[in-house]
Amino acid sequence: MRLLKAKVMNYKSIDDSGWVDVGDITCLVGKNESGKTAFLQALNKLNPAADQPDEFDMTIEYPRKRLNRYKREHEESPAPVVSAVFKLEDKDYNELPGSLSGAVKTPTVTITKNYANRSLWDFQIDQAKVVANLVAGAQLPEETAKALAAHKTVRELRAALDEVGPDPPQAGELAARIDKWKADPDRYFINSLHRHVPKFFYFDDYSIMEGRISVPHLKAKRDAGDLNDADRTFLALIKFVGAQLEEFESEANYERLKADLEAASNEISDELFNFWSQNDQLAVEFDLTGPDPEALPPLNEGTNLHVRIRNDRHRVTVAFDQRSRGFVWFFSFLAYFSELERDKTSDLVLLLDEPGLNLHASAQEDFLRFIDERLAPQYQVIYTTHSPFMVEPGRLDRVRTVEDLDNVGTKVSAEVFRSSSETVFPLQAALGYDLAQTLFVAPDNLLVEGPADYIYLQLLSEAVREAGKEGLDERWVIVPVGGIDKIATFVTLLGGHQLNTSVVIDVSSKDEQRITNLRENGHLGKHSLIQIGEITGAKDADIEDLFESGFYVQLVNGAYGDQLPTKLTVAALANGDPRIAKRVERVFADNGLGKFSHYRPAAYFLREQAKLLPKLNDKTIERAAQLFERINKTVSRPES
């Protein structure tokens, strides 16, 4: 099964998160205390991996503001906490018994878990098809089979088999088979697919292994069911080694266990260093000692296991949990994850709460690459962050914002730029950092007025390439400058660094002097100022005029949604201005709809590109291809 979307309700700060679409990688962004962790923790308890907690406790987890009232309702009507919609895949259908073949009416299953810790499945079974399958597989005499196949439910079929009696014997065999699953095809379906429900694996900063472990104390905690997250991580490593905790209490096992632990450590470290660019001279070492009389309990009794980090560069070792927190986090995660991956019996959904919180910015980028290249090809990943370095500027479609709203509670939304400035700060910072990284190092810079132009050029280039034409040369770095007034400054700045610069600008009659000034600047090549009007053939033209009017109106309607009293139409925009965006601005102003943002339709296009790109017509593709051909002629250097 594959997770499509999830919703959390009645949990801590979350009254109702709303449905959250989930892809291969989903990034939850929000400030501290917004509810990001609560969302992951609730989702994890739907079907947790390993021995992580799986029961909801209403006293601790139900929203306190409504707890007293809810206690009176709990017994009769336990509140739902988490719902998830899963898509059935081919391997799931292949696991179904023959009696259910072709009887599942919908390709999705919704599972909801409530405060009674019961999981409720929502799906549709065609019982008439189940009856037909059962009768067809029973090898009954023709007349008997025909009569039984007329029934529409399994219970009707079971009752009819009693009337048929023991002759023919196949009827009795079929009755006994149905009795095994109590004539309930829904229960039979759940039992058949229960083990296929993905397991959720939650990992946070509290899951990091400790530097010293008292073996008897850890064993006692395990036996009492009192493990914390760090304990579980260490036990996962022990299991990965193939050892039992009891073996560490005997000195006779010392050399073998130490060798096994270090072999496992090397295996995990080798994988880690494929994605860890900070320092490749670190290693994890293990040692076993007796009790330390000077240490605080529980280290003063029984066998102690020491985990240390060796730094070959400085030729020192330090306690595992005391130094290099980023490395410690990464190693601890891989230790736990490696064991889960080896022993997995179902699909995994990885829930990473603030992964790499202690990692340097470049190490966080390493971890993003680890998610993309190592985790996402096999497992769905949902992670939370408030770090701009854990957000990929080119993949904002993965981002969901998390906000704790007054009188509403935590809400999760894909409308990323409708959120508060504090919530979207990591996104803005990520975009700004991406721009800063490329601004003064790219040989070829294409200046545009704003972020909407940036998005449109990227998406149109993709569409043009898909159509078999030349898209925007990948050597260009697109630089949104924040308005036509700032273009001259940027042209001068980049030209002063001996960098090739071209400019794509909207054009109107009032901008003629600005255009003249740019041409006379001296830092632009003869053909490096490209006006949209050159492509559309209109004297006044914006980048939005590359699209057909109907398509752009669709973007506006999608971006503003229910903020519009009625959906806009092209006919409603007819006010004489040749520029479609200006006509939309006028409608907003005339109808008291507030200021129209050019960016929001572009952001909507970016989020919904999968369904919108195929809707671009041939004229739009041709205009975009002409624009890219014109721009690419000004690139500074031959392609290597």
Side-chain angles (χ1 to χ4, degrees):
M1 294 186 190
R2 179 176 178 78
L3 180 63
L4 295 182
K5 58 183 178 178
K7 176 169 66 170
V8 173
M9 304 149 283
N10 306 306
Y11 187 80
K12 297 184 178 180
S13 67
I14 306 176
D15 290 339
D16 185 340
S17 67
W19 284 107
V20 180
D21 292 330
V22 175
D24 292 337
I25 301 174
T26 305
C27 172
L28 303 182
V29 170
K31 60 184 183 180
N32 291 333
E33 304 299 324
S34 61
K36 305 188 301 294
T37 294
F39 185 88
L40 292 191
Q41 289 175 336
L43 185 55
N44 185 60
K45 289 189 176 183
L46 182 68
N47 192 33
D51 56 355
Q52 294 184 336
D54 64 348
E55 291 195 352
F56 292 109
D57 184 332
M58 70 171 180
T59 303
I60 298 173
E61 296 169 315
Y62 193 87
R64 293 292 174 86
K65 61 188 176 183
R66 296 186 282 113
L67 179 58
N68 284 335
R69 185 174 67 226
Y70 171 65
K71 285 180 177 178
R72 298 190 292 269
E73 306 168 357
H74 172 70
E75 290 298 328
E76 293 186 3
S77 181
V81 192
V82 58
S83 291
V85 177
F86 298 95
K87 181 181 179 181
L88 299 177
E89 300 180 299
D90 289 344
K91 60 183 179 182
D92 302 310
Y93 286 110
N94 293 338
E95 284 291 312
L96 291 175
S99 55
L100 295 177
S101 177
V104 184
K105 297 173 69 174
T106 58
T108 60
V109 171
T110 301
I111 302 176
T112 300
K113 192 169 183 177
N114 59 25
Y115 272 106
N117 290 299
R118 292 182 56 208
S119 293
L120 310 174
W121 290 46
D122 184 15
F123 53 91
Q124 294 183 18
I125 295 291
D126 183 351
Q127 291 214 27
K129 178 61 175 174
V130 176
V131 169
N133 289 338
L134 289 168
V135 173
Q139 298 182 336
L140 292 158
E142 183 176 351
E143 289 188 11
T144 304
K146 185 176 181 180
L148 293 174
H151 295 288
K152 301 300 181 185
T153 71
V154 176
R155 291 195 181 280
E156 290 178 5
L157 171 63
R158 179 63 186 85
L161 287 169
D162 281 341
E163 295 179 5
V164 171
D167 188 25
Q170 297 97 320
E173 294 170 1
L174 179 56
R177 181 182 174 191
I178 294 173
D179 287 342
K180 286 183 178 180
W181 39 280
K182 303 185 186 321
D184 186 347
D186 288 355
R187 182 185 298 274
Y188 195 32
F189 174 80
I190 293 172
N191 291 340
S192 300
L193 288 187
H194 187 271
R195 67 184 183 88
H196 286 260
V197 179
K199 296 281 189 179
F200 294 89
F201 171 50
Y202 176 82
F203 195 89
D204 65 2
D205 209 40
Y206 295 103
S207 305
I208 293 175
M209 290 194 307
E210 297 178 355
R212 290 196 296 176
I213 297 102
S214 166
V215 173
H217 181 65
L218 180 58
K219 188 173 70 167
K221 292 177 70 176
R222 180 201 62 189
D223 295 343
D226 191 29
L227 297 171
N228 60 32
D229 292 338
D231 297 332
R232 294 186 185 95
T233 301
F234 179 74
L235 288 174
L237 176 61
I238 297 298
K239 191 176 179 184
F240 183 70
V241 169
Q244 298 293 323
L245 194 57
E246 287 77 5
E247 295 181 69
F248 287 85
E249 295 182 295
S250 171
E251 292 184 7
N253 299 319
Y254 172 78
E255 290 297 339
R256 177 182 64 81
L257 291 172
K258 184 175 180 180
D260 288 345
L261 281 167
E262 290 181 347
S265 170
N266 291 336
E267 181 179 341
I268 294 168
S269 296
D270 286 345
E271 179 167 13
L272 186 154
F273 285 127
N274 286 329
F275 300 93
W276 179 267
S277 63
Q278 307 304 296
N279 181 358
D280 62 0
Q281 298 186 48
L282 301 177
V284 176
E285 295 182 339
F286 300 89
D287 198 10
L288 284 168
T289 67
D292 183 354
E294 298 181 2
L296 295 173
L299 299 171
N300 61 341
E301 296 180 358
T303 303
N304 291 328
L305 175 62
H306 300 258
V307 188
R308 301 182 67 82
I309 296 177
R310 185 181 73 249
N311 188 325
D312 288 336
R313 178 177 297 167
H314 300 291
R315 291 179 289 183
V316 298
T317 66
V318 294
F320 183 78
D321 56 355
Q322 297 301 311
R323 293 288 299 277
S324 189
R325 291 287 289 179
F327 179 84
V328 165
W329 188 96
F330 212 150
F331 184 92
S332 295
F333 170 75
L334 270 177
Y336 205 150
F337 170 71
S338 296
E339 169 55 25
L340 284 177
E341 184 175 45
R342 187 175 67 177
D343 284 359
K344 73 168 187 171
T345 56
S346 65
D347 291 329
L348 286 173
V349 178
L350 306 179
L351 308 176
L352 308 182
D353 197 2
E354 296 286 354
L357 190 61
N358 296 291
L359 293 175
H360 180 270
S362 58
Q364 290 185 21
E365 293 177 352
D366 286 342
F367 192 75
L368 275 181
R369 185 165 62 87
F370 174 75
I371 291 176
D372 270 317
E373 297 178 13
R374 173 66 175 86
L375 301 181
Q378 301 178 68
Y379 313 103
Q380 291 179 273
V381 179
I382 306 174
Y383 71 94
T384 69
T385 190
H386 57 255
S387 167
F389 303 106
M390 288 296 293
V391 177
E392 293 190 70
R395 295 305 309 269
L396 295 186
D397 56 306
R398 295 174 173 175
V399 174
R400 311 289 182 264
T401 57
V402 184
E403 290 186 281
D404 189 1
L405 303 174
D406 292 341
N407 302 318
V408 176
T410 295
K411 287 290 184 182
V412 186
S413 172
E415 301 290 326
V416 293
F417 288 106
R418 287 191 184 183
S419 303
S420 68
S421 58
E422 294 96 338
T423 300
V424 301
F425 171 76
L427 311 183
Q428 295 168 332
L431 292 170
Y433 176 75
D434 189 51
L435 174 59
Q437 285 291 93
T438 58
L439 186 54
F440 293 114
V441 296
D444 295 280
N445 298 278
L446 181 63
L447 303 189
V448 296
E449 293 183 39
D453 306 67
Y454 177 97
I455 292 171
Y456 288 139
L457 289 178
Q458 293 280 21
L459 293 176
L460 285 171
S461 180
E462 182 179 337
V464 166
R465 287 196 185 98
E466 188 68 24
K469 301 176 183 291
E470 180 186 9
L472 186 66
D473 193 301
E474 292 183 357
R475 289 169 286 179
W476 287 112
V477 169
I478 305 175
V479 183
V481 301
I484 193 171
D485 293 336
K486 300 177 182 177
I487 286 182
T489 302
F490 273 76
V491 168
T492 302
L493 191 61
L494 295 172
H497 283 76
Q498 306 302 311
L499 301 173
N500 179 48
T501 304
S502 289
V503 179
V504 173
I505 60 171
D506 301 335
V507 61
S508 66
S509 302
K510 69 177 183 178
D511 293 325
E512 289 181 1
Q513 186 57 50
R514 289 194 180 103
I515 294 169
T516 300
N517 293 341
L518 282 172
R519 293 191 186 281
E520 296 175 354
N521 182 285
H523 292 298
L524 280 176
K526 182 178 179 181
H527 302 291
S528 295
L529 180 65
I530 300 104
Q531 302 174 56
I532 296 297
E534 297 176 33
I535 308 301
T536 65
K539 185 177 180 181
D540 293 349
D542 298 327
I543 194 167
E544 290 85 355
D545 296 311
L546 294 173
F547 302 110
E548 292 295 293
S549 297
F551 181 85
Y552 185 69
V553 167
Q554 183 181 353
L555 296 186
V556 175
N557 286 328
Y560 281 89
D562 55 10
Q563 291 180 247
L564 300 174
T566 58
K567 286 190 175 183
L568 295 183
T569 63
V570 175
L573 303 180
N575 62 8
D577 196 307
R579 293 170 296 174
I580 182 70
K582 291 297 180 183
R583 282 183 275 160
V584 173
E585 284 182 18
R586 178 61 59 86
V587 170
F588 271 59
D590 291 346
N591 291 276
L593 299 175
K595 186 177 180 180
F596 173 65
S597 166
H598 287 231
Y599 176 76
R600 283 180 60 172
Y604 173 75
F605 192 6
L606 178 64
R607 291 193 303 272
E608 303 295 333
Q609 57 182 287
K611 72 177 183 181
L612 291 172
L613 280 172
K615 296 183 179 181
L616 293 172
N617 65 11
D618 292 342
K619 289 184 178 179
T620 300
I621 299 295
E622 184 57 38
R623 283 192 287 265
Q626 291 176 21
L627 175 63
F628 297 137
E629 181 182 8
R630 173 79 171 79
I631 294 170
N632 291 342
K633 286 180 180 179
T634 65
V635 75
S636 65
R637 55 199 165 88
E639 192 166 5
S640 58

